Each structure stands twice: as C-alpha cells, then as structure tokens.
Amino acid sequence: MSIGRTIICLLVALLLTSPAFGQATGTPKDMAGTGYYRDQDTLPGAIRFYSQLPGGEGGLWGLGPSRQKIRRSSFKMDAHDEVADYSPEVRCKKCHIPQTKDLHYLRMGITCVQCHRSQPVAGVYHYYSSLNPIRRHAYVCAKCHEGATPSFASYMVHEPNPIAPETRGSFPLFYYVVWFMLILASGVFLFFLPYTALWWIRELVAKLKGRPDHG
Amino acid sequence: MADERTRLKRFTPVHRLWHLGLILVFMTLSVTGIAWMFFETPWGRGLANLFGGYVNVLEIHRTAGLVMLAGFTSHILYMIYRIDWKGFPRSLLGPETLVFQWVDVKGFFRHLGWVFGLNKLPHFDRWSWWEKFDYWAVWWGLIIIGVTGLMLYNPVLTSDYMPGWMLNVALWVHRIEAVLAMGYSFTAHFMIEHWRLGSFPFNAAMFDGTLDIEEAKHDHPEWIARLEKEGRLNEALVAPPPVPLRIFYFLFGYSIIFLGLFLLVFAIANAALLTLF
C-alpha cells in the first residue's frame, strides 16, 4: 500500500467518524453499547423504560411521568446548538437553576458533567447519549448505584415540583399523592394546634373560677 | 396505709416498655432524619457530624427504622394474642378497648362544646377520644412511613417490583409523614399530656404505669365510677413509685421533651434555607 493511499484511508476514516463520538470522555464502547440487562429487564412490559418518546399509558403507568414535555434539543447531538448565547465557559447553573434543586446535586454534590458528560452536552434522547434510557442505568446510574436497572433509572433525578399545577399533567401520581399527604398533615395541625391552645385556656378559666367542670 | 395509695393502675409493664422503646427509636429516627433533611444547612451538618457524617446518619436511620418496624410487628402480634376471639367482634367494643366507637364521636363533640363553654365537661371512661387518636395516629403513621421507608431502604431492589419513579413519590410521602409525626408529637402530644394544668409539669403515667387519682377524676370519672361499681377500684389503687424513680422518670421525660423542642425550633428556623423545590 502506497503512502498516498494510506493517507487517503486515514482521512476518510476521520471524516466518517460520527460527530457524536466527539463528546466522548469514555470509550466509544460506552456510547454504542445498550447497557447490561437481566431477564426481567427484557420482558415485554419492560419496554416502557426504554421508550424514546414517553406516551400516554393506562393504569399505574399512566400516573407516572409519562407525559413529560420533551424539548426538541433533547434529541440533538449538541443540546445547546440552538442556544444563541451558549458558551461552554458559562456554568450550567446560570440557566439550569431548577436542575440544581435535587438530592443528587444538593446533598451528594454530584456535578452536571458526571452524568451529562462534557462538551458538547448531548440531549438525553440522542441515540449516542450516555443518558439515553436504553443505557442510562448501566452507564450513568450504576456508577454509584450498584446493580441499577432500567426500572431504577426511571427515577426522576430532576423531579418536578410535586404541588405545582403543571405536575398534575406530567406526573399525576406524584401530584395527587403529595397533595393528599399535605392536606392530611395540615388538617391535623390546623385542628390540633389551635384546639390544644383553646383547651389549655379553658382549663385555666375553670381553675380560676374554682368550680368543677363536670356535669 | 390507704392514704398513700393515690395512683390508679393504667398501663402494664409491656405497654410501658413499648412506649419507652417507641420514644427511643422515634427520637433516633427524628434526629438522624432531620440531620439528613437539613444537611445543606450548617445546623443539619452539625447534627450529622455528631453521628459521623451523612453516611453514618443514613445508616443509623435505616437500622433504627428496621427496629421500629420490628417493634410494630411485635405489637401487632401482641394485639392478635390479646383479642378475645371467642367474643369477636363484639369483644372489640366496650370501654376497655382503644377501638373508636360512637361514644368517642359524642365525647369529641361534647369536649369541643366544653372548650367553647357550651356545655359541661363530658365524663370519659378509660380512654378519651384524644388518647385513642394518639394510639391510632401511630398506626397510620407507621404504616405510611414504614412502607415508604422500606421502599427507600434498597431503592435498586424496590425498582424490581415497581417503576423506579415510585421512589420520587415514596420520598415525599416519607418526608411529609415524618414532619407530621414529629410536629404533632412535639407540640400537641406534649401539650395535651404534660402541659395542661392538671398534668403540668410532667405526667408520668406512661412511665410508672399509674395515673394520679385526682387527674383521673378530672379526665376519666366514668372509668373510676365503673371500677367502683364493679368493686375493682381498691385493687387498682397503688402507692406512688419511690422518689428516686420519679426523679429519673422526670429527668428522662424532660430530656426527650427538650430534644423534641430543640429539633422543632431549629427545624422551623432553618426551613427557609432548604432549597429542595
């Protein structure tokens, strides 16, 4: 093989390489693989965890986060390519404030790039993204949660505000159950706190009068 | 001799042991749970550091949770053992049981009327409506917080049996029920049991197992009347426990009360610093 043909081969190889690999901080295998599955992860119902486009489903599944709005940029190789003033130098937190209010970020001190990888940040539904539901459990969650499964990976790290009206549509079970608990708890407090205070005052009144209260 | 017997037997040693165990485990769970909930504040980090940081705090919280569920299971087994199955279900009714009955609905509304000065104080039997509420509140609380706590104990295993996003729901239910249980215990429960004029400063009934006869005449006249009618009042009367024991009950009780108030005050003071939304 001549030197000229070798150079042409190398150039073609470079040009044909998927641009998605450009974001790789791990090995290309990480990007192409679909993760590790056990038998129960591949049963017919389990497909819900890998679905690229969550849709309306019946029963318990319909009460889950299946009607989240997904941005077009979530399917892009570079999720920020339409953001005019985007710069990799700017901290993620400057724009993604709601995404910093969760246990992973606040309590465990996990940084954005530990899951979303470095520049360019791929949309989570891009085929090669490490956060794509087909491989998220194996390549992201399992870094800390040993044995993470696709079902486990459907936990919402950036969970919506459970009491916000929008959550009623996007994650109904979360909305209704949290509201139920809040009403239960506030009902108990709203009754017992004033009632015990009045009760105490009533006993004081009875004592001051010095009369037995019983009928 | 008869003059010294000023207290009425109310709780058996088994009841007192459960209540003592519940206090110890509940307070352990409260401190470690609050330390974790407030971990982003200096106060929460300080609490967690007492236990050796957040990893240990969570580990202690999980273990204490299992102990609490074991205690709950033993209580359910005891209850099944104690129920009079021959007379079931009628044996569940009557003045000696904690089952809510029509008399409690009446008792509640008459008590409400008394607080607002509309009628006389109703005559309660052995258990008043608020004592039954206290008992069943622990049941509902333990079921809600126990189920969600078990779900969160091993989230990876839990998600084999349900979708992982159920953990989002479980965590919030666990938090709200925890706030409810602690908030209720550290305000209403302490107030009703210890700070009402008749009980102030400390009602040791759940610790020494007996209730002062004067207090019983005020809160449970129907019970005393029934014991008298059945000729059992004399055998139910006992002398107060020895002074050192009473001092010990008081000191133990107040250290728990102060710990509860400490958690309550600082949790409210630091609540605005939480950024979980």
Side-chain angles (χ1 to χ4, degrees):
Chain A
M1 195 191 286
S2 73
I3 292 172
R5 282 167 91 183
T6 311
I7 290 169
I8 289 167
C9 278
L10 279 172
L11 280 174
V12 168
L14 275 173
L15 288 170
L16 284 180
T17 306
S18 164
F21 289 167
Q23 70 150 354
T25 50
T27 62
K29 195 182 101 232
D30 271 21
M31 303 297 140
T34 52
Y36 164 74
Y37 298 98
R38 303 162 312 157
D39 286 348
Q40 64 259 49
D41 301 334
T42 54
L43 290 173
I47 194 157
R48 294 169 173 115
F49 296 119
Y50 320 118
S51 79
Q52 291 259 343
L53 273 171
E57 299 234 23
L60 179 65
W61 291 92
L63 297 171
S66 57
R67 278 175 280 170
Q68 300 284 329
K69 277 184 196 140
I70 298 175
R71 288 201 188 93
R72 207 154 48 93
S73 57
S74 292
F75 292 92
K76 292 199 166 176
M77 190 273 284
D78 180 357
H80 296 112
D81 76 347
E82 281 176 16
V83 183
D85 55 349
Y86 176 72
S87 155
E89 304 303 318
V90 176
R91 305 262 321 197
C92 312
K93 220 163 101 169
K94 202 179 167 224
C95 299
H96 295 282
I97 296 161
Q99 283 80 6
T100 62
K101 304 200 169 174
D102 53 66
L103 294 174
H104 280 72
Y105 187 90
L106 285 173
R107 307 292 170 84
M108 289 304 181
I110 293 168
T111 57
C112 310
V113 295
Q114 281 176 284
C115 303
H116 289 274
R117 308 275 174 125
S118 56
Q119 304 298 333
V121 177
V124 294
Y125 289 105
H126 182 260
Y127 186 74
Y128 290 115
S129 167
S130 54
L131 277 167
N132 188 302
I134 62 170
R135 66 176 75 81
R136 175 186 298 185
H137 61 290
Y139 292 126
V140 180
C141 307
K143 287 204 279 186
C144 299
H145 301 276
E146 194 181 341
T149 60
S151 165
F152 176 78
S154 73
Y155 171 80
M156 291 188 78
V157 168
H158 304 305
E159 64 183 10
N161 181 342
I163 57 173
E166 312 80 270
T167 312
R168 187 176 163 188
S170 64
F171 193 168
L173 189 74
F174 197 38
Y175 176 84
Y176 287 116
V177 170
V178 170
W179 266 113
F180 171 81
M181 287 304 299
L182 279 178
I183 290 167
L184 177 76
S186 20
V188 169
F189 289 127
L190 284 177
F191 173 74
F192 273 99
L193 296 183
Y195 192 73
T196 45
L198 287 172
W199 186 349
W200 194 89
I201 293 167
R202 182 68 184 82
E203 285 196 350
L204 183 69
V205 169
K207 198 180 172 109
L208 292 177
K209 279 186 180 168
R211 276 203 314 249
D213 278 334
H214 290 296
Chain B
M1 279 299 283
D3 297 340
E4 288 174 22
R5 298 191 302 141
T6 54
R7 295 182 77 87
L8 195 56
K9 272 194 264 181
R10 185 157 170 80
F11 299 107
T12 68
V14 184
H15 300 155
R16 290 150 61 194
L17 201 65
W18 260 314
H19 189 255
L20 180 69
L22 183 64
I23 290 177
L24 294 174
V25 181
F26 184 82
M27 295 315 287
T28 308
L29 286 165
S30 299
V31 176
T32 52
I34 282 189
W36 178 233
M37 197 192 273
F38 287 83
F39 192 67
E40 55 183 304
T41 70
W43 176 65
R45 271 197 300 280
L47 273 185
N49 287 342
L50 293 177
F51 296 89
Y54 74 83
V55 177
N56 287 345
V57 148
L58 270 183
E59 215 43 63
I60 295 167
H61 190 81
R62 282 163 207 240
T63 311
L66 288 186
V67 173
M68 190 178 242
L69 285 176
F72 187 42
T73 311
S74 73
H75 182 78
I76 293 172
L77 293 175
Y78 168 83
M79 205 188 69
I80 292 171
Y81 167 73
R82 281 301 303 267
I83 288 175
D84 171 15
W85 291 104
K86 277 181 195 155
F88 187 83
R90 283 193 65 84
S91 60
L92 293 183
L93 304 175
E96 288 288 325
T97 83
L98 283 161
V99 178
F100 272 108
Q101 293 154 57
W102 181 240
V103 67
D104 298 304
V105 179
K106 280 197 294 188
F108 169 75
F109 282 106
R110 297 213 51 215
H111 191 255
L112 192 75
W114 167 76
V115 165
F116 289 100
L118 302 174
N119 51 260
K120 296 279 185 185
L121 185 64
H123 289 219
F124 293 112
D125 205 298
R126 185 165 176 187
W127 311 113
S128 57
W129 65 266
W130 68 84
E131 286 159 330
K132 291 186 182 183
F133 177 86
D134 262 9
Y135 175 76
W136 291 109
V138 179
W139 266 79
W140 109 45
L142 269 177
I143 290 168
I144 294 175
I145 218 158
V147 168
T148 52
L150 277 181
M151 283 168 71
L152 296 161
Y153 192 92
N154 184 343
V156 175
L157 183 67
T158 301
S159 54
D160 275 355
Y161 299 96
M162 59 189 83
W165 45 256
M166 285 292 282
L167 297 164
N168 291 86
V169 181
L171 189 53
W172 273 103
V173 171
H174 196 80
R175 278 180 193 143
I176 298 168
E177 177 56 45
V179 169
L180 171 57
M182 289 186 287
Y184 178 83
S185 302
F186 303 157
T187 57
H189 182 64
F190 287 172
M191 181 86 169
I192 294 172
E193 300 305 334
H194 300 296
W195 302 332
R196 286 188 297 131
L197 294 175
S199 316
F200 191 82
F202 185 66
N203 173 3
M206 228 341 163
F207 297 92
D208 67 26
T210 63
L211 185 64
D212 185 78
I213 193 81
E214 291 306 317
E215 252 178 273
K217 274 179 189 163
H218 185 265
D219 280 347
H220 304 282
E222 198 71 25
W223 184 35
I224 296 179
R226 189 163 54 84
L227 287 175
E228 232 168 358
K229 205 173 134 195
E230 294 170 4
R232 294 195 291 133
L233 184 63
N234 201 38
E235 64 186 79
L237 283 173
V238 286
V243 174
L245 206 53
R246 280 157 66 188
I247 293 173
F248 175 73
Y249 289 145
F250 184 88
L251 291 178
F252 174 79
Y254 260 90
S255 47
I256 296 296
I257 288 174
F258 279 126
L259 179 57
L261 294 180
F262 164 75
L263 292 177
L264 181 74
V265 168
F266 278 84
I268 292 171
N270 283 280
L273 297 173
L274 293 182
T275 51
L276 271 173
F277 275 125

